[in-house]
Amino acid sequence: MIAAFKDWFIGLSQREKILIAVMGALTALVLGYYVIVAPFIGAYEDAQSRYAEAIDRQAQVEAKVAALAAPVNADVQPVAGPLDVFISQNAGEAGFAVARLDPQGNGTVTLDISSARPTALFGWLATLENRGVAIEELSVNPGANDTVTATILLRSVVVD
C-alpha cells in the first residue's frame, strides 16, 4: 500500500507535488484547529460561564446569610460621614465599578454602575438598606454578558 502510494507520488509532476503538499498542509491546519484548538476554546468558555454562575450563587448565599444573621428588630444605624464617601467605599468593597457618583444638595447621591451581575447588585442594595441607606429611584437595564447597568438615587435614612 505504501509502495503504491510512493510510486503514485513519484509519478506526479512537480506542480502536482506542490499542490498535494499545500493540500496536506491545509488539511493538517484544519484538522489541528478542530481537533486541538476548538475543544480548548469551548472548555475555556464553559469554565468562564460556570465561574460567573458560581459568583452569582455566592452572592445569593452571602445575602441570605447576612439576612439570617441580622437581628430581627435591629435599629438602623445612621451612615457615619458623608453619604457619597460611604457609597463609594462600599461599592468598591463589593466589587462594583462606579461609572459616576454625584452627591446632590439634599442629602442624596446619584450612582451609576456600568456593569454588574443582577444578583450581586440587588444583594448589595439590600445590604445598603440594612445599613440605613434608602433607595429612592432605581433604573436597571440589561447589559452585555448577563450583566445589568444601573442608575440609583440613594438617600441616608437618618440625617445627621
Side-chain angles (χ1 to χ4, degrees), residues 106-109 129 133-139 151-157:
N106 55 358
T108 61
V109 172
E129 287 180 329
V133 177
I135 301 167
E136 291 204 351
E137 293 179 17
L138 174 62
S139 173
T151 303
I152 311 162
L153 181 62
L154 302 166
R155 176 182 50 85
S156 180
V157 173

Side-chain angles (χ1 to χ4, degrees), residues 55-67:
I55 288 176
D56 285 344
R57 284 193 307 270
Q58 179 184 2
Q60 289 173 344
V61 168
E62 287 177 353
K64 289 177 183 177
V65 167

Side-chain angles (χ1 to χ4, degrees), residues 7-123:
D7 292 339
W8 170 78
F9 191 74
I10 291 173
L12 295 176
S13 70
Q14 185 65 26
R15 183 171 61 169
E16 289 172 335
K17 288 179 182 177
I18 291 172
L19 287 174
I20 295 293
V22 169
M23 180 191 71
L26 290 175
T27 302
L29 285 174
V30 168
L31 284 176
Y33 176 78
Y34 284 108
V35 171
I36 298 170
V37 176
F40 280 114
I41 291 172
Y44 177 74
E45 290 172 350
D46 186 43
Q48 280 184 321
S49 68
R50 285 194 323 262
Y51 177 71
E53 290 171 6
I55 288 176
D56 285 344
R57 284 193 307 270
Q58 179 184 2
Q60 289 173 344
V61 168
E62 287 177 353
K64 289 177 183 177
V65 167
L68 290 173
V72 176
N73 293 326
D75 293 330
V76 175
Q77 297 295 322
V79 173
L83 182 62
D84 58 330
V85 173
F86 173 78
I87 295 298
S88 176
Q89 289 174 346
N90 205 301
E93 291 170 2
F96 295 113
V98 176
R100 183 175 61 107
L101 181 69
D102 291 332
Q104 307 295 318
N106 55 358
T108 61
V109 172
T110 302
L111 172 68
D112 283 346
I113 296 178
S114 58
S115 177
R117 296 274 178 197
T119 53
L121 175 67
F122 290 118

